[in-house]
Amino acid sequence: MLHITSLDEGLEVFKALGSDVRIEIVKLLLKNKEMSMNELASELSITNGALTNHIKKLENCKIVAISSESSGHGNQKMCSLHLNKIIIDLDMPEESQNVYSTDIKIGHFSNYKIYPTCGLASESALIGEVDDTRYFSHADRYNADILWFTKGYIEYEIPNFIPYAQKITQIMLSAELSSEAPGISEAWPSDISFYLNDICIGSWTSPGDFGDIRGIFTPDWWPPNWNQYGLLKLLVINKKGTFIDGLQISDITINDFELDFKSKMKFKMAVNDDASHIGGLTLFGKSFGNYSQDIKVNISYAPIRQDEVPEKE
């Protein structure tokens, strides 16, 4: 799946699909799953040279994948679709100059309590042994770009470097998430709860642990029968409530926390013991899954009224 959030970001994809021939190629691959270059050229009544040019444009955008297959007549190139979905989301939030933005790496958690199945991995290797919770305390966990567990929680401290004498009016966090099944399972629901400073601000049910195709950024060494990608979720808490992807999940507002430039903020993601669906949590960083990002944070702020400004320490 590819998620496009701006016209500029999607420009190359739009160009690649801006051809009747290339649309026909996608349709043929949807129907037949995999076809050789010769088969495609024959179906489209074009030369192999012309087809190569079209395929290259689709391959550069990761819409189509090419592999080699040995046959009695030597190697032939096989084409298949690399993406199963392209989501175009241009409903962007209003821009504000008063926003502090930062990223939190997957391995930079400040606290945890988790239960197997569990594990961590960097872009290049597993960190320690899978299903051994001790490695969540290992020094190498700072390099983690993916982590997973069946139940429990993982907690991060949100950096707060907004200017002096400002109050926080909104927090936006985005992360790629899925459930954690033994192996993979698209139908493996999990109730994931979100906490800010130990107050539950809402829950979201992940539908499954996805592994039908390799994640766009998932490294080649990663086993094919393990978590491949998740869903990009946007969590927002503001003066109106708490929202996931624009849908309200609770009445907890940012005003309930009275956060300002000196406040510490702890953000927790949990699969609780009393959840209806205890299906685990997988958290993807920029080297895994379909989105090249860690946990993205945007903090909106506004001046505190003059009579509310505390004295500098």
Side-chain angles (χ1 to χ4, degrees):
M1 182 174 68
L2 177 64
H3 186 205
I4 296 171
T5 58
S6 72
L7 293 173
D8 290 337
E9 180 186 352
L11 187 58
E12 293 304 313
V13 173
F14 302 148
K15 286 179 179 178
L17 295 175
S19 158
D20 291 343
V21 174
R22 292 193 285 276
I23 291 295
E24 285 302 316
I25 291 171
V26 172
K27 287 181 179 178
L28 286 168
L29 293 178
L30 280 170
K31 179 181 178 181
N32 299 296
K33 305 300 182 184
E34 186 178 60
M35 297 177 70
S36 70
M37 294 284 282
N38 288 338
E39 290 170 335
L40 280 169
S42 176
E43 283 282 344
L44 296 166
S45 299
I46 60 176
T47 66
N48 276 26
L51 176 65
T52 298
N53 183 53
H54 288 297
I55 290 293
K56 184 171 290 187
K57 291 181 179 179
L58 293 170
E59 186 182 20
N60 288 342
C61 294
K62 298 186 178 179
I63 296 172
V64 166
I66 307 298
S67 60
S68 295
E69 184 177 279
S70 298
S71 67
H73 303 286
N75 289 335
Q76 60 176 334
K77 291 184 176 180
M78 303 299 295
C79 305
S80 60
L81 287 179
H82 182 67
L83 294 177
N84 64 338
K85 292 180 182 177
I86 299 176
I87 297 176
I88 301 172
D89 182 4
L90 302 181
D91 185 17
M92 300 300 290
E94 293 183 9
E95 291 189 6
S96 171
Q97 292 182 345
N98 295 330
V99 176
Y100 168 71
S101 299
T102 189
D103 292 345
I104 305 174
K105 285 188 63 64
I106 300 305
H108 286 196
F109 48 87
S110 55
N111 198 8
Y112 71 93
K113 182 180 180 181
I114 52 94
Y115 296 86
T117 55
C118 62
L120 314 93
S122 68
E123 181 181 2
S124 57
L126 288 170
I127 296 172
E129 302 289 336
V130 296
D131 298 338
D132 189 337
T133 61
R134 294 177 301 168
Y135 284 98
F136 277 68
S137 295
H138 195 282
D140 288 348
R141 56 101 165 174
Y142 288 106
N143 299 319
D145 251 357
I146 187 172
L147 62 81
W148 64 97
F149 56 88
T150 293
K151 67 176 181 177
Y153 68 83
I154 199 84
E155 186 174 73
Y156 297 85
E157 184 169 344
I158 299 175
N160 181 6
F161 294 106
I162 67 171
Y164 176 79
Q166 303 288 309
K167 61 182 178 181
I168 294 173
T169 58
Q170 177 175 275
I171 300 174
M172 296 174 57
L173 300 104
S174 68
E176 186 174 355
L177 309 172
S178 78
S179 308
E180 159 51 22
I184 53 177
S185 175
E186 291 191 23
W188 192 266
S190 185
D191 297 333
I192 299 171
S193 296
F194 306 99
Y195 293 79
L196 183 61
N197 289 352
D198 294 322
I199 296 175
C200 183
I201 57 176
S203 299
W204 166 71
T205 300
S206 168
D209 183 1
F210 308 106
D212 52 321
I213 59 172
R214 182 170 292 276
I216 294 173
F217 299 101
T218 300
D220 292 340
W221 66 267
W222 187 252
N225 60 333
W226 287 12
N227 335 52
Q228 294 296 320
Y229 64 91
L231 301 176
L232 188 66
K233 309 309 294 181
L234 178 64
L235 177 69
V236 177
I237 178 169
N238 57 30
K239 64 182 181 180
K240 296 180 180 179
T242 304
F243 304 81
I244 284 276
D245 297 338
L247 299 176
Q248 189 164 2
I249 58 173
S250 83
D251 294 326
I252 302 294
T253 73
I254 196 70
N255 296 334
D256 293 327
F257 295 90
E258 299 182 345
L259 301 171
D260 63 20
F261 64 102
K262 295 194 301 181
S263 300
K264 285 193 173 183
M265 292 176 285
K266 299 180 297 180
F267 175 63
K268 183 189 299 182
M269 289 176 275
V271 179
N272 295 319
D273 286 338
D274 59 354
S276 297
H277 304 98
I278 302 177
L281 168 64
T282 303
L283 184 56
F284 298 82
K286 63 182 179 181
S287 299
F288 285 81
N290 285 343
Y291 304 91
S292 184
Q293 69 163 73
D294 297 309
I295 302 171
K296 286 188 173 294
V297 181
N298 290 294
I299 302 174
S300 300
Y301 55 88
I304 300 174
R305 292 198 318 266
Q306 194 61 38
D307 59 344
E308 296 176 329
V309 177
E311 294 182 1
K312 289 186 178 180
E313 296 179 355

